[in-house]
Amino acid sequence: MFMAKITGSVVSTQKEDSLTGKKLMIVQPIDANGEHVRSEEVACDSVGAGIGEYVLVARGNAARSVFAEPNSAIDSAIIAIVDSFDK
């Protein structure tokens, strides 16, 4: 799991069936100081997060298991909106 800031969204009209109806967001991984730590990636939103919010992101099987139906195409999922973080 890692912290990230949502920097945008992705719209895709042609996609794998398990992604239909899922909101895809661009997330910028950050460290505890809010500094970027690597390149942006795309994650499926499970909590209704919006652009500019800080979130927690899960990867792999943990990300796939967040959604009720089988989602083999999901590798990254937004699982929480961060209210605050202290170092």
Side-chain angles (χ1 to χ4, degrees):
M1 181 172 15
F2 63 92
M3 292 186 302
K5 183 175 182 179
I6 299 178
T7 60
S9 62
V10 174
V11 176
S12 175
T13 55
Q14 298 294 319
K15 58 186 159 257
E16 202 279 324
D17 288 342
S18 67
L19 295 176
T20 300
K22 307 254 183 336
K23 187 166 72 166
L24 303 174
M25 304 301 285
I26 301 168
V27 295
Q28 172 64 64
I30 60 168
D31 63 17
N33 295 317
E35 301 294 325
H36 301 173
V37 293
R38 57 184 178 277
S39 60
E40 294 173 312
E41 58 185 80
V42 176
C44 284
D45 182 26
S46 71
V47 295
I51 294 172
E53 291 189 290
Y54 291 95
V55 295
L56 296 180
V57 180
R59 285 191 175 152
N61 191 49
R64 285 185 287 279
S65 67
V66 170
F67 299 94
E69 65 281 349
N71 290 287
S72 58
I74 294 174
D75 186 53
S76 230
I78 298 167
I79 59 167
I81 297 172
V82 175
D83 296 319
S84 65
F85 51 93
D86 297 320
K87 203 170 110 166

